[in-house]
Amino acid sequence: MTDIAWIDLALASARPKALGALLRYFRNLDTAEEAFQEACLRAIRTWPEKGPPRDPTAWLIFVGRNSGIDAVRKRSKLQALPDEDVISDTEDAESDIAERLDDSHYRDDILRLLFICCHPDLPATQQIALALRIVSGLSVPQIARAFLVSESAMEQRITRAKARVAKAGVPFETPSPEERAERLSIVSTMIYLIFNEGYSQADPRHEAAAFSDEAIRLARLMLHMFPSEPELMGLLALMLLQISRRPARFSAEDEIVLLEDQDRSLWNQPFINEALALLDKALRHRRPGPFQLQAAIAAIHSRAKRAEDTDWVEIDLLYRALERIQPSPVVTLNRAVVISKLQGPQEALDLVDPLGEKLDGYFYYHGLRGNLLKQLGRNGQAREAFDRAIALAQSAAEAAHIRHQIDKMQEDAARPMAK
């Protein structure tokens, strides 16, 4: 008798590999997804009684491919089937599939599946929704609740994303080394978007809070397939370092606790240790990239037992390197925080102000600018910046944090008058 919880875990773990292979066979995302679902239903019916197969992933591919071919035949009726090499391989033995699971073309199946989900024609919200539905297997209601939209709206969003991908005609041939490197970069960015969608949640009971764990799972899968890619090591290290702070990021009242005020004894030390080992391994490859540099910055914070022990000089050097590799106004904004620690609020404000045109719709830009103006005693301008930040807040916790800054500024301003 096979435990049903084990079956659920096996199906979830096999999903990206099996669905990627079925997509290669059928060249159609909906057909591949339907074939995989049918294979899962058969697994749930047969595995408890007969026990699990030697290789669950190979079994799912084998059964899914056959059920998919049957579905194509039923839909076709009197129409001629496509060429055999379009809808399936000529080999049909489960053992042969199992033997080919570790081949390079198989890794390309999964990479292609992830790459389809982060197609450049799709907005970021559609990329995340499609990846969570197709790769992670989350239900439409689950994703809808996480994004605070109706189920019908999310269904339409995913349907539009699939249609756009189909219209784009994504190629199915094995990518070249150059294309693979490009895809890895895009897929890594998509995984990090999923992570941040969950990391921003104050309430761990919120549906989206689990996205961070799912992003880490996807990063582990990618690193298992491409174990010598330092940027994947950096991505996983970065997410582990950030998620290690989750217990300390919000108060009992769901208020934001800034990094410098967090109780560092609450940080998850096993996550930190794993991340530091990954980062050390990545840096030995001597191929620095954006995720490695961001992970290195996070690592400096994780090594500081107290906020005042933080090596801001080293962080500044890393941000400067990040600006050279991946110039971005957000990177410069983050470096401004470091400059405020090293040189003071005016120097930091001089770095922040020129970013206004590009970051006017960014919550953290106005929040940081308001804080710097407050430190300089320019309370009127600070209040304007804080009001703009509140208008752009994406959560109640963000808005409450800025209101607390305003209240504190007013209290500090009133204190001399009370003497």
Side-chain angles (χ1 to χ4, degrees):
M1 197 73 172
T2 301
D3 182 75
I4 195 67
W6 182 91
I7 293 177
D8 287 341
L9 180 61
L11 295 179
S13 299
R15 184 182 179 93
K17 295 181 180 179
L19 193 54
L22 292 170
L23 179 63
R24 172 162 51 87
Y25 294 145
F26 295 112
R27 269 63 167 179
N28 182 280
L29 194 52
D30 286 328
T31 303
E33 192 176 11
E34 290 169 7
F36 178 75
Q37 292 298 336
E38 179 60 31
C40 288
L41 290 174
R42 294 191 190 182
I44 292 171
R45 288 197 299 264
T46 60
W47 290 3
E49 179 181 350
K50 298 181 178 180
R54 176 170 59 89
D55 190 315
T57 303
W59 189 96
L60 290 165
I61 295 171
F62 177 69
V63 173
R65 187 186 61 182
N66 288 342
S67 67
I69 291 172
D70 289 342
V72 170
R73 287 194 175 106
K74 288 178 182 178
R75 284 196 296 266
S76 299
K77 293 185 178 179
L78 299 178
Q79 296 178 9
L81 280 174
D83 293 339
E84 181 69 15
D85 63 352
V86 172
I87 62 171
S88 72
D89 282 352
T90 56
E91 304 292 337
D92 62 357
E94 177 187 337
S95 60
D96 179 65
I97 295 175
E99 290 172 0
R100 294 188 284 117
L101 291 186
D102 292 328
D103 288 351
S104 60
H105 79 269
Y106 195 70
R107 297 188 305 168
D108 291 333
D109 285 343
I110 306 173
L111 187 58
R112 182 183 298 111
L113 181 63
L114 288 164
F115 186 63
I116 283 173
C117 294
C118 55
H119 193 279
D121 286 350
L122 301 179
T125 53
Q126 287 188 15
Q127 290 181 13
I128 295 173
L130 193 60
L132 291 170
R133 179 72 194 98
I134 300 301
V135 183
S136 303
L138 272 65
S139 67
V140 171
Q142 283 178 300
I143 303 171
R145 286 194 297 269
F147 282 93
L148 301 178
V149 299
S150 68
E151 293 181 25
S152 61
M154 181 53 66
E155 185 71 63
Q156 291 175 359
R157 183 180 298 180
I158 294 173
T159 300
R160 285 196 298 267
K162 287 182 179 179
R164 188 171 293 185
V165 166
K167 185 178 180 181
V170 179
F172 285 87
E173 66 273 7
T174 301
S176 66
E178 293 78 13
E179 290 172 325
R180 181 180 293 172
E182 178 189 9
R183 292 184 182 193
L184 279 174
S185 175
I186 295 172
V187 167
S188 296
T189 300
M190 183 267 290
I191 291 174
Y192 195 50
L193 284 173
I194 293 175
F195 176 84
N196 281 325
E197 193 67 36
Y199 189 64
S200 63
Q201 290 299 320
D203 186 354
R205 298 163 298 181
H206 193 281
E207 292 280 354
F211 289 2
S212 296
D213 297 326
E214 179 60 22
I216 289 173
R217 188 183 76 84
L218 291 175
R220 290 190 189 280
L221 171 65
M222 293 297 294
L223 189 56
H224 177 73
M225 292 189 299
F226 301 95
S228 61
E229 288 292 335
E231 268 297 84
L232 287 177
M233 300 175 203
L235 171 64
L236 181 54
L238 173 61
M239 292 191 296
L240 287 171
L241 288 169
Q242 291 181 330
I243 208 68
S244 72
R245 306 175 197 151
R246 182 160 54 183
R249 291 183 63 236
F250 296 94
S251 69
E253 295 77 27
D254 288 340
E255 295 177 346
I256 294 174
V257 180
L258 297 179
L259 179 61
E260 60 189 27
D261 299 323
Q262 290 176 12
D263 180 355
R264 301 187 177 211
S265 68
L266 297 177
W267 290 359
N268 188 312
Q269 197 59 47
F271 280 176
I272 293 173
N273 293 341
E274 180 185 358
L276 295 179
L278 274 169
L279 183 58
D280 287 343
K281 183 178 179 181
L283 294 177
R284 284 199 294 272
H285 285 263
R286 299 186 180 278
R287 285 190 285 145
F291 286 119
Q292 293 172 72
L293 290 172
Q294 291 176 77
I297 292 168
I300 292 176
H301 288 296
S302 71
R303 289 189 175 105
K305 297 190 180 300
R306 303 175 304 163
E308 51 266 34
D309 298 332
T310 305
D311 189 345
W312 292 109
V313 173
E314 182 65 22
I315 291 177
D316 184 41
L317 292 174
L318 288 168
Y319 268 124
R320 290 177 185 273
L322 187 58
E323 280 184 314
R324 289 194 297 271
I325 291 178
Q326 193 179 62
S328 159
V330 174
V331 173
T332 303
L333 185 72
N334 289 331
R335 189 166 74 84
V337 176
V338 184
I339 295 301
S340 71
K341 302 291 185 182
L342 293 173
Q343 300 178 31
Q346 184 59 59
E347 288 74 7
L349 187 63
D350 292 341
L351 196 60
V352 165
D353 276 341
L355 306 175
E357 184 176 349
K358 294 181 179 178
L359 297 181
D360 185 56
Y362 190 49
F363 166 81
Y364 291 102
Y365 167 77
H366 295 284
L368 174 59
R369 187 167 179 274
N371 189 269
L372 295 172
L373 289 165
K374 183 185 74 172
Q375 292 180 52
L376 293 168
R378 294 158 62 178
N379 290 1
Q381 292 173 287
R383 178 60 189 263
E384 291 178 6
F386 283 145
D387 287 344
R388 176 66 174 151
I390 290 174
L392 295 168
Q394 296 294 309
S395 68
E398 288 180 349
H401 174 72
I402 296 299
R403 289 193 186 96
H404 178 72
Q405 298 295 312
I406 294 173
D407 292 343
K408 192 173 184 303
M409 180 176 65
Q410 292 175 337
E411 289 173 5
D412 291 343
R415 192 168 293 120
M417 297 174 59
K419 290 183 180 180

